[in-house]
Amino acid sequence: MGLNDFQKQKIKFTFDFFLDMNHDGSIQWNDFEDMMTRYKEVNKGSLSDADYKSMQASLEDEWRDLKGRADINKDDVVSWEEYLAMWEKTIATCKSVADLPAWCQNRIPFLFKGMDVSGDGIVDLEEFQNYCKNFQLQCADIPAVYSVITDGGKVQFDLARYRELYYRLLTSPSADAGNTLMGQKP
């Protein structure tokens, strides 16, 4: 069974928002380079040289793994169609975060750090507001979305919560809390 239209829409969001940084309709290594530049800008240069080199090495690994899984015609370009086909196969057997592709699992801490600009391990409401603004998410009611993320203040928005929401964003067949990473309420 294939993905439903809602799942395809969410996968398209991850393609456009998290990977196709130059918006040319495909993923290539230069998108990862653009990602590093954007990350440094959003974090106001707080990235040390060692952190930058570590991030670059991690992104190189992610690119190799993504290409190996999705670049069907081996042209060093992952098209939307190739990306979607990879996710159709992945989601069919994915039961937990551990079943996500390695490149995707490796991306989770990197994306979380992009939100947690204070570096305290918790994304607070102000950081989430800045994230929505910096990445131009269309979010009509940021406090309400943040309330969904924190389950009304019952859970902290830490890396574990981000990991759970990211998994749900990618795999859930219907609207749920994973949508909050797109700035939307379920």
Side-chain angles (χ1 to χ4, degrees):
M1 184 172 135
L3 302 177
N4 66 36
D5 288 342
F6 183 72
Q7 286 174 299
K8 290 177 184 176
Q9 176 187 352
K10 292 192 309 180
I11 297 299
K12 180 71 168 137
F13 172 82
T14 67
F15 181 89
D16 293 339
F17 184 76
F18 292 122
L19 295 165
D20 183 15
M21 300 304 290
N22 64 9
H23 307 292
D24 67 353
S26 65
I27 306 167
Q28 301 172 54
W29 170 246
N30 63 331
D31 289 303
F32 285 79
E33 292 173 323
D34 291 348
M35 198 179 310
M36 287 186 284
T37 300
R38 180 82 186 265
Y39 184 86
K40 286 173 74 173
E41 289 169 1
V42 167
N43 287 289
K44 298 168 182 53
S46 65
L47 202 60
S48 72
D49 288 342
D51 287 340
Y52 182 81
K53 287 178 183 175
S54 175
M55 180 193 313
Q56 184 173 10
S58 177
L59 289 177
E60 287 170 356
D61 289 343
E62 287 181 35
W63 173 235
R64 277 191 295 277
D65 189 42
L66 174 60
K67 268 193 329 183
R69 290 174 184 272
D71 186 14
I72 296 166
N73 62 3
K74 306 296 182 208
D75 64 352
D76 288 338
V77 175
V78 176
S79 69
W80 160 242
E81 293 78 13
E82 289 172 320
Y83 187 74
L84 181 60
M86 177 203 66
W87 279 111
E88 287 177 331
K89 290 179 196 170
T90 300
I91 290 175
T93 60
C94 193
K95 304 294 181 223
S96 72
V97 173
D99 297 328
L100 291 173
W103 70 267
C104 191
Q105 290 183 51
N106 294 340
R107 170 166 293 272
I108 291 171
F110 168 72
L111 293 172
F112 178 78
K113 275 185 160 183
M115 294 175 97
D116 179 26
V117 294
S118 69
D120 65 357
I122 305 294
V123 175
D124 61 30
L125 177 58
E126 182 180 343
E127 288 171 318
F128 185 67
Q129 287 172 319
N130 288 334
Y131 161 79
C132 290
K133 179 183 167 197
N134 289 336
F135 291 101
Q136 302 168 345
L137 292 176
Q138 304 300 315
C139 186
D141 190 351
I142 293 172
V145 172
Y146 188 79
S147 181
V148 172
I149 291 170
T150 63
D151 194 17
K154 295 176 193 162
V155 296
Q156 291 188 322
F157 190 11
D158 58 9
L159 179 58
R161 179 67 171 160
Y162 186 89
R163 189 178 320 265
E164 172 192 346
L165 294 173
Y166 193 73
Y167 171 76
R168 289 165 65 176
L169 170 67
L170 294 171
T171 62
S172 176
S174 59
D176 72 5
N179 293 13
T180 58
L181 297 183
M182 300 187 299
Q184 300 174 3
K185 292 190 286 187

